[in-house]
Structure formats: C-alpha cells, structure tokens
Amino acid sequence: MGLFKKTKVNIDPDRLPNHVGIIMDGNGRWAQKRGLPRYAGHVAGAKVFKTIAYYARDIGIKNLTVYAFSTENWQRPQEEVSRIMKVLEEFIDDALNTFEKEKVRIRFLGDTSVFTGVLREKMDRIVAVTDHFPGLTLNIAMNYGGQHEIVHGVQKAMALAQKGELQPDELTPDAFGKMLYFDDCDAVDLIIRPSGELRLSNFLLWQSAYAEFWFSDILWPDFKPAHLDQAILEYQKRNRRFGGV
Ligand code: IPE
Ligand code: IPE
Ligand code: MG
C-alpha cells in the first residue's frame, strides 16, 4: 500500500470501505451564516468536493459516489438551480483540463437524459476520456433519486419479461442490482452525511441495504480530509454482521 498517501490517523489500508457515498449537504446554511447568498455556498462546496474526491483517490478508495443534485432539488428557485448547474459545469471544465494529471474515472449517476446542449457534451466528454483510469471511480449523482433508480430497474425488468427474456423467478436481488443505472454500482459500505440532517434524502436506496453511516454537524463547505479520515476510522471499528453472528 506504499503507493497511497498516509493519513494522519491510523486507518488500516487493507480494510478500506470499497464504496463510499457522500451527501454533500449544508452549502446553503454555510452561506447564510456568513450573510452570503446561497449560491456562494455551492461555489465553496464545489471546491471542497474537488479536494475530497482527490483525497479519497490518494488514500486508495476505489468507488466514491457524491450526491450533487437530487430529483427533488428541481423544486428550488430557478435561480439557485441554474447556479448549481453552473457550478457543476465548472467542475467538469476543470476536470477536462486536468484529467490526465488527476487520473480519476468520472461518471454521472442518475437520469441524465434531461441534460442537453453544452453541459451534456461536456458530461459525455469527461466520461469518455476518463473511462480507462483504474484507480478511483467517481460517480457524481446528478438528477439522481433512489426511488427513480429502482423504478428504472423495474421498467427494464418488465421490458425484458415482455420480450420473454426474463422469467419472474430469475429476478434475484443480484440480477435486479444489474438493472439499476449502472450494472456495476456496488453496495455502498459507508455513507457520510454532514450538515446535521439524519436522513438519506433518496440517496442510494437499493445500494445502502447494509451501509454504515457517519453523520456530522459540519456543513459541507467546512468538510476537511481529516473528517473523511475520521469517518473511515470509525467505519473500521464497526462490527458488520450482515445479519449473521
Ligand atoms: C447541498 O446543500 C447542495 C444541494 C442540495 C445541491 P444545500 O443547498 O441543501 O444546503 P442546506 O441544506 O440548505 O444548508
Ligand atoms: C440532499 O440534500 C441532496 C444533495 C445533497 C444533493 P437536500 O438538502 O436536498 O435534502 P433535504 O431536503 O434536507 O432532505
Ligand atoms: Mg440541504
């Protein structure tokens, strides 16, 4: 494990969570506390997102899924939604300039069919040029909702059944898991939610069946690599039984 960055705490590099999920929450409150408009929190949050993603790569995490925009977030004022989209586009622009150096595989999790035009082109481009990187896979959940993902899987299964290509008893949890947005989005081992909220907000509903949780009152723009260390360290102390003894 000499290749990877040493963390400040005693993380066991051989027992890292395979898949970490982060609900990047608290941007708005962070800005409001400073008398700034909410979008300033999204700008600050995007910087932290970049830092944490590359730090996760450096310590050897293989899969990171970040919740960037939910299917419910469209309810926000139009102005805020456009600002969030702009911040995401800026992240992709930056990644398009630096991907050869950063070597992170980037994908978008969610119903991305709603994205069109220039943003869509950039999304497709960053996915294509980073697809071969073997280290960290970064799934950016955009227009993502766990319930929508499950319904999408059910629709796929029904279409196969209608064509006679799937029998009801062939639809096992493993088979169904492959019908979600990605056929290789593994169970999430550790879900991190800052900002003090103790809920999933429609994040990775299927994949979180046996996830461990780490909650904190820190607002996302204040989140530091040391918090990720802490979360992983605590994760490594948990006794995961998966229903066994
Ligand atoms: C998370 O921060 C970012 C998105 C949902 C896009 P919020 O904008 O939800 O911040 P709070 O929860 O209002 O503080
Ligand atoms: C969850 O945060 C979605 C993202 C972080 C992208 P929200 O701020 O939308 O969740 P609620 O409304 O507090 O449940
Ligand atoms: Mg929020």
Side-chain angles (χ1 to χ4, degrees), residues 153-171:
V154 171
Q155 288 171 344
K156 244 178 158 168
M158 287 176 76
L160 286 172
Q162 260 180 351
K163 286 193 280 176
E165 290 171 19
L166 182 74
Q167 296 305 313
D169 60 354
E170 290 169 349
L171 192 64

Side-chain angles (χ1 to χ4, degrees), residues 10-27:
N10 263 342
I11 288 176
D12 177 351
D14 297 323
R15 288 193 312 119
L16 286 171
N18 167 58
H19 183 187
V20 177
I22 304 183
I23 301 172
M24 305 188 290
D25 196 19
N27 294 349

Side-chain angles (χ1 to χ4, degrees), residues 25-26 29 76 193:
D25 196 19
R29 279 165 282 172
R76 297 188 179 201
R193 182 165 194 164

Side-chain angles (χ1 to χ4, degrees), residues 7-236:
T7 56
K8 294 215 176 67
V9 289
N10 263 342
I11 288 176
D12 177 351
D14 297 323
R15 288 193 312 119
L16 286 171
N18 167 58
H19 183 187
V20 177
I22 304 183
I23 301 172
M24 305 188 290
D25 196 19
N27 294 349
R29 279 165 282 172
W30 181 92
Q32 277 161 345
K33 258 174 57 182
R34 284 163 180 74
L36 299 168
R38 287 180 58 87
Y39 78 80
H42 299 310
V43 173
K47 260 177 96 171
V48 171
F49 160 42
K50 201 172 127 182
T51 305
I52 296 300
Y54 296 148
Y55 180 72
R57 169 205 59 199
D58 292 346
I59 62 173
I61 301 289
K62 299 296 288 179
N63 299 282
L64 174 66
T65 301
V66 294
Y67 207 4
F69 192 84
S70 75
T71 43
E72 288 72 40
N73 288 148
W74 297 106
Q75 297 170 51
R76 297 188 179 201
Q78 166 69 40
E79 164 74 8
E80 180 171 349
V81 171
S82 341
R83 291 281 190 169
I84 295 171
M85 291 303 154
K86 194 162 172 282
V87 161
L88 282 164
E89 189 172 337
E90 281 164 6
F91 171 83
I92 301 170
D93 284 339
D94 180 69
L96 282 168
N97 286 324
T98 57
F99 71 90
E100 279 166 331
K101 175 173 142 261
E102 302 296 356
K103 298 187 169 35
V104 168
R105 178 176 181 229
I106 296 176
R107 311 191 288 185
F108 298 94
L109 178 71
D111 176 8
T112 56
S113 66
V114 300
F115 300 110
T116 54
V118 177
L119 178 59
R120 174 86 236 177
E121 281 166 29
K122 289 177 181 176
M123 287 167 74
D124 290 346
R125 193 135 36 94
I126 195 68
V127 170
V129 297
T130 65
D131 190 48
H132 62 291
F133 290 130
L136 171 69
T137 292
L138 173 63
N139 301 310
I140 305 177
M142 257 172 93
N143 192 28
Y144 176 84
Q147 292 183 337
H148 288 75
E149 182 175 35
I150 292 169
V151 169
H152 164 90
V154 171
Q155 288 171 344
K156 244 178 158 168
M158 287 176 76
L160 286 172
Q162 260 180 351
K163 286 193 280 176
E165 290 171 19
L166 182 74
Q167 296 305 313
D169 60 354
E170 290 169 349
L171 192 64
T172 60
D174 274 350
F176 184 67
K178 294 194 175 17
M179 295 180 193
L180 299 174
Y181 288 134
F182 293 138
D183 61 7
D184 63 347
C185 188
D186 299 339
V188 61
D189 300 295
L190 170 64
I191 292 183
I192 294 174
R193 182 165 194 164
S195 95
E197 310 299 353
L198 308 178
R199 54 177 171 259
L200 271 176
S201 301
N202 210 5
F203 186 52
L204 299 181
L205 296 184
W206 177 266
Q207 298 87 344
S208 63
Y210 273 97
E212 298 294 330
F213 291 91
W214 191 82
F215 293 110
S216 158
D217 288 338
I218 300 146
L219 300 173
W220 176 249
D222 291 327
F223 197 94
K224 301 279 183 296
H227 296 121
L228 183 60
D229 288 348
Q230 260 179 42
I232 295 173
L233 194 65
E234 231 182 83
Y235 165 86
Q236 292 187 333

